[in-house]
Amino acid sequence: MTLLRFGWRAGLSLALLPAAVAAPVPTEARAPAPVVRVLLREAPTLELEAGSTVLRLGDATGRTLAELAPGARLQLMRSGPTLEARLEGPTGPPRRVALPSGQAWIDPAPGRGTGGEALLTLQQRRYRGRLLVRAEGDRLQAINLIDVESYLPSVVGSEMPASWPLAALRAQAVAARTYALRQRRPAEPFDLKATVASQVYKGVEAETDSTREAVRSTRSQVLVHGSALINAVFHSSSGGLTENSGEIWRQQLPYLVSVPDFDQSSPVHVWQLRVEPDKLARAFREIDGAFRIEVLSTTSSGRIRQARVTGPGGSLLLSGAELRQRLGLRSTLARFDFEAPPQALPFPPPLPSLQGVFTAEGIRSLASGLVQAPWPTPRPPAAPTLLVSGRGYGHGVGMSQWGAYALALRGEDYRQILQHYYQGARIQPYSSL
């Protein structure tokens, strides 16, 4: 998924619709919510804190090994083949607990503590649900097990400005719920990442009243095509036209087809990027930089499929995605121009003194000096600067977040927004699947 890195975090003034009336939650939607497993962090050591609630530390069998009082800290690390926990309480010396299985479970204990919601804090971010810590190679993985309805208010607030119209937030909630449930992989250690590699999840701090309402009022609703969940991908801004999935990915899905977008108010609807020669040299080390980029083929919406990059050391054939990654482009809907710096001409050597030149010996000396003068060799041409002109941000497939914002301002509800970007998909409760 593509995080909205521009615009709303830069403080753009966004017009808002009047507050919408909260939609009732359907009776069939009150069934227990499915659980998703989200990889929060992967590092050699992990640090947790018990906030206002007691935390229980357990092993792989479910046995409680220790309890952390409010304010206590827990550090987890590898110790040879086992996992080791170091507990630091508000009082008393630190203690160590070994976990030979290489797994640790951390659970908030509701109703035990100084009051407040049962949350756990990992690396200064608070989360709901349980935490599984497991060893993977020389690193530890922190995996949050949480029901999807408790997970989503943070995702909506992390992926979209909470001040946007409720219809846009509801569309984001349904798309994110569908995407999360489709990614569940029981045979794998986790289903999703908390980054743009899946969809952004920043914990409780990203929740607001509006994001919680967007999730509550669409509870259990998912997008379906045929009898299966769709791949509800989304992105920031398409640059005017979304992309067919089959033109940039392996499979053309019937509901991920190119449609007009309404992202003209996006700060990255149109953009430019200047890439200096030193960055070009790092991006294309194999060919010592670049002085020409030829777009060899594009998709029907104009995104780059394949390009040839030519530099002093040869040429490379790259896909649009590879070129975007190397240059740090916002999208592959881009074109390239090179700007050559002004060429400085070499100065000739200074002329010899004319004193005494008008003698036979002086004339011979002058002629000899001019013939043997150390004229400098021509300088090699300076490396050019690349100028990129582009549109949109992200892969361009599925729902455009800035387009959803514009449609919501026009008065479209979240169902109409979703049906525009996911052609032919239906909205129904996940309990009916």
Side-chain angles (χ1 to χ4, degrees):
M1 300 291 102
T2 303
L3 177 66
L4 287 173
R5 294 190 178 95
F6 297 86
W8 66 276
R9 288 190 177 89
L12 289 183
S13 175
L14 302 175
L16 299 177
L17 288 176
V21 177
V25 179
T27 302
E28 68 273 12
R30 301 184 189 276
V35 171
V36 292
R37 301 166 302 159
V38 188
L39 177 65
L40 301 180
R41 188 173 175 84
E42 196 168 20
T45 63
L46 298 170
E47 294 184 2
L48 293 97
E49 181 180 346
S52 60
T53 306
V54 171
L55 294 183
R56 288 191 292 257
L57 172 66
D59 62 13
T61 67
R63 181 168 57 103
T64 298
L65 303 177
E67 290 192 344
L68 284 77
R73 295 178 180 274
L74 171 65
Q75 186 179 55
L76 293 156
M77 64 202 79
R78 290 298 299 268
S79 178
T82 67
L83 187 62
E84 182 177 280
R86 186 173 187 270
L87 292 79
E88 295 183 10
T91 60
R95 55 180 292 218
R96 296 177 182 271
V97 176
L99 296 114
S101 66
Q103 287 191 359
W105 286 91
I106 297 97
D107 293 273
R112 296 184 57 197
T114 59
E117 193 173 358
L119 303 172
L120 54 86
T121 302
L122 173 69
Q123 308 294 136
Q124 301 181 337
R125 281 188 176 168
R126 296 181 300 154
Y127 298 93
R128 308 180 195 281
R130 312 176 68 197
L131 192 71
L132 167 64
V133 176
R134 64 185 297 273
E136 180 66 28
D138 61 351
R139 301 171 75 80
L140 301 179
Q141 294 179 332
I143 301 167
N144 187 196
L145 284 78
I146 182 171
D147 78 78
V148 72
E149 302 299 335
S150 298
Y151 159 74
L152 286 171
S154 173
V155 173
V156 174
S158 301
E159 285 283 1
M160 187 174 276
S163 60
W164 278 14
L166 189 56
L169 298 177
R170 284 172 171 160
Q172 182 68 67
V174 175
R177 182 183 292 111
T178 307
Y179 180 85
L181 294 179
R182 193 176 189 270
Q183 298 304 308
R184 289 195 296 172
R185 303 285 188 272
E188 301 297 327
F190 59 86
D191 305 314
L192 301 149
K193 295 184 178 181
T195 67
V196 292
S198 296
Q199 47 192 11
V200 184
Y201 170 53
K202 296 181 179 179
V204 173
E205 280 70 22
E207 298 180 9
T208 68
D209 289 344
S210 62
T211 67
R212 285 187 285 267
E213 172 57 23
V215 174
R216 188 207 67 81
S217 59
T218 62
R219 182 180 173 90
S220 90
Q221 294 181 18
V222 290
L223 290 154
V224 176
H225 191 274
S227 58
L229 294 168
I230 73 165
N231 187 15
V233 292
F234 50 89
H235 60 281
S236 172
S237 170
S238 77
L241 191 66
T242 70
E243 186 60 271
N244 295 308
S245 64
E247 295 206 59
I248 59 170
W249 297 334
R250 292 182 180 179
Q251 186 179 10
Q252 177 58 57
L253 296 170
Y255 48 83
L256 291 179
V257 296
S258 180
V259 296
D261 197 11
F262 306 93
D263 63 331
Q264 287 78 8
S265 60
S266 164
V268 287
H269 179 70
V270 176
W271 51 267
Q272 291 188 324
L273 178 67
R274 186 181 181 90
V275 187
E276 300 296 339
D278 59 338
K279 184 173 179 181
L280 288 172
R282 292 192 300 271
F284 307 110
R285 293 181 187 277
E286 311 97 309
I287 56 173
D288 302 321
F291 53 75
R292 184 184 303 117
I293 299 179
E294 302 168 82
V295 176
L296 302 179
S297 62
T298 64
T299 67
S300 56
S301 69
R303 290 171 171 81
I304 301 167
R305 281 184 188 271
Q306 190 177 59
R308 178 185 291 113
V309 182
T310 305
S315 63
L316 294 171
L317 279 179
L318 298 175
S319 68
E322 291 169 331
L323 187 61
R324 180 188 176 195
Q325 182 180 28
R326 291 196 184 210
L327 291 175
L329 305 180
R330 292 167 182 165
S331 76
T332 57
L333 194 56
R335 295 298 177 265
F336 308 96
D337 293 293
F338 280 89
E339 178 184 80
Q343 182 66 48
L345 297 175
F347 288 99
L351 291 173
S353 170
L354 296 179
Q355 184 176 359
V357 75
F358 298 108
T359 64
E361 184 62 30
I363 291 172
R364 283 194 297 271
S365 176
L366 174 63
S368 173
L370 289 175
V371 170
Q372 299 175 12
W375 291 85
T377 57
R379 298 176 185 174
T385 296
L386 173 63
L387 304 176
V388 188
S389 301
R391 299 203 311 273
Y393 195 112
H395 49 63
V397 181
M399 185 178 74
S400 158
Q401 292 166 314
W402 278 94
Y405 165 74
L407 288 172
L409 287 182
R410 281 179 14 181
E412 307 287 346
D413 73 11
Y414 74 97
R415 297 174 184 83
Q416 293 168 311
I417 294 171
L418 293 168
Q419 287 163 0
H420 175 70
Y421 289 108
Y422 305 108
Q423 293 280 303
R426 306 186 314 279
I427 300 174
Q428 64 186 63
Y430 49 61
S431 58
S432 65
L433 295 178

